[in-house]
Amino acid sequence: MGSNQATIRKKLMTWLPVLVLVLLFAMSLSISLGAASIKVSMVWEVIASKIPLIKEWVSSDWSASSETIVWDIRMPRVILGAIVGAALGLAGAIYQGVLRNPLADPFILGVSSGASFGAALFFVFGWQVTWLGNFTLPAVAFLFGFAALMIVYFLSRVENKARLETIILAGVVVQAFIGACLSLVLSLSNEKLQTIVFWMMGSLALTDWSYNQVVLPIISIVVVISLFFARELNMLGLGEEAAYHSGVSVQRTRFYLLVLASIITGAAVSVSGAIGFVGLVVPHIIRLIFGSDYRLILPLSIVGGAIFLVGADAFARTVLAPREIPLGVITAFLGAPFFGYLLRKAKRGYF
């Protein structure tokens, strides 16, 4: 056991810094790309000029417009992409571990559909809570997504137990029902239709620093808590009975993990729209490369999800510039073939 822990720690200490460096490179490259091309070195100089103590050593030899593009336009967008990607990557790893289903991702339980439905109602009826201000939309989307999860969990409980296959089936049912409600709202929202559809396809285009301030504290807290459940996820992977005899309270642990995963999914979807397949693709790539120990899968899926979404967003912004492709379209193009690959592998007992 001690040798195994040392091996896991060594892998984590080796690969986590590597992935963080890849993420920083991807973020700086993404910030430099766009209609106005900016050198990567200038990106770092602008960032350094905003850091106390360090800014005294930086000579500001760039234009005001370049600084605005880097700091006020692209920087908050890229950081939000990293936050959302990290949240979806972690949520996918948790869902797959709890449900023991390689095809599970943050959207299978209807959380995404619930959040999208809440956002659609917000756009149609113009709900605005004065003291929430610009945070009203994220708050409404999050509450509806969380409500969808609670309905799924309630429907799946039989004799005070939530069976795995029942959770997935309940998720499909709730997702279908909410999809019908969403279609009804779309049919009644003439002038808001384009806004709602664009939001549902996923985008980081309307981002500013305030969005990061909304989701970063929520996601950071949940990430830290989730990392403490790595051992329980390993035990759940051995089966309910083995987990129970290892001292894991199966039902309670499963409930806590589903709530945590759904909170970060709801928070991410509330600021970026429905971006699918991140939580499906990233944890599987991590599992294929580093094995099935959740002490590795959880932290590496967080960084891997951030890298994946930052890269996808850069591609969405630049491949058909000046036109921007919805981010959800890019992740679907990448994720759908991978989903088919997993289906084929699942038939041979891959998971």
Side-chain angles (χ1 to χ4, degrees):
M1 179 66 75
S3 174
N4 184 39
Q5 287 183 343
T7 303
I8 295 297
R9 190 180 299 113
K10 184 179 179 181
K11 283 186 178 179
L12 196 59
M13 296 299 290
T14 301
W15 287 107
L16 190 59
V18 171
L19 290 181
V20 169
L21 287 176
V22 173
L23 173 61
L24 292 176
F25 175 75
M27 293 175 69
S28 56
L29 184 62
S30 179
I31 294 171
S32 71
L33 298 174
S37 182
I38 295 174
K39 292 181 179 178
V40 173
S41 58
M42 183 183 293
V43 171
W44 284 105
E45 288 174 353
V46 172
I47 295 172
S49 71
K50 303 294 182 182
I51 302 175
L53 300 179
I54 297 179
K55 64 181 181 182
E56 308 298 335
W57 302 87
V58 179
S59 58
S60 305
D61 56 351
W62 52 80
S63 64
S65 60
S66 296
E67 181 170 330
T68 300
I69 292 171
V70 170
W71 188 255
D72 295 325
I73 299 176
R74 295 181 187 170
M75 188 87 174
R77 174 174 182 148
V78 171
I79 289 178
L80 187 66
I83 294 172
V84 170
L88 296 178
L90 174 63
I94 293 175
Y95 280 131
Q96 289 165 17
V98 172
L99 302 178
R100 297 180 62 205
N101 188 322
L103 306 180
D105 83 338
F107 296 83
I108 198 170
L109 298 182
V111 178
S112 173
S113 298
S116 298
F117 182 54
L121 292 176
F122 170 85
F123 287 125
V124 171
F125 295 108
W127 293 340
Q128 193 69 36
V129 181
T130 305
W131 60 275
L132 283 176
N134 293 332
F135 301 157
T136 304
L137 171 58
V140 170
F142 168 72
L143 288 175
F144 274 77
F146 191 71
L149 169 72
M150 291 296 101
I151 294 171
V152 169
Y153 196 79
F154 174 78
L155 291 176
S156 64
R157 286 180 66 85
V158 178
E159 296 179 351
N160 291 325
K161 289 185 178 180
R163 298 173 62 88
L164 293 177
E165 58 273 22
T166 313
I167 291 176
I168 295 175
L169 185 60
V172 172
V173 171
V174 170
Q175 195 171 32
F177 180 76
I178 294 176
C181 296
L182 190 57
S183 298
L184 176 63
V185 173
L186 288 174
S187 67
L188 300 175
S189 56
N190 298 325
E191 66 273 13
K192 299 289 185 181
L193 180 62
Q194 187 173 0
T195 303
I196 297 172
V197 171
F198 190 76
W199 190 89
M200 288 174 57
M201 289 191 291
S203 176
L204 302 173
L206 302 178
T207 304
D208 58 38
W209 284 110
S210 64
Y211 281 70
N212 294 298
Q213 295 169 6
V214 172
V215 296
L216 183 59
I218 299 171
I219 292 176
S220 298
I221 292 171
V222 175
V223 163
V224 172
I225 296 173
S226 300
L227 293 177
F228 285 103
F229 281 92
R231 174 187 170 274
E232 283 75 6
L233 280 169
N234 283 337
M235 293 297 105
L236 289 173
L238 300 175
E240 290 188 13
E241 191 171 343
Y244 176 78
H245 290 296
S246 300
V248 177
S249 176
V250 175
Q251 295 300 324
R252 187 180 303 170
T253 302
R254 183 180 293 158
F255 176 76
Y256 289 158
L257 285 168
L258 288 176
V259 170
L260 289 172
S262 297
I263 288 175
I264 53 176
T265 300
V269 171
S270 69
V271 293
S272 64
I275 301 174
F277 292 103
V278 180
L280 175 69
V281 173
V282 174
H284 275 290
I285 293 176
I286 298 298
R287 186 179 289 107
L288 285 171
I289 297 175
F290 300 102
S292 58
D293 195 313
Y294 279 89
R295 290 173 292 180
L296 285 172
I297 292 177
L298 293 184
L300 297 183
S301 291
I302 293 169
V303 186
I307 296 171
F308 181 86
L309 203 60
V310 168
D313 182 53
F315 188 77
R317 286 192 292 112
T318 56
V319 67
L320 293 180
R323 174 170 291 185
E324 180 176 328
I325 302 174
L327 187 52
V329 174
I330 300 297
T331 57
F333 273 134
L334 296 173
F338 197 79
F339 189 85
Y341 162 76
L342 290 177
L343 279 174
R344 297 293 302 171
K345 296 288 286 187
K347 291 182 178 178
R348 294 194 287 268
Y350 161 69
F351 196 72

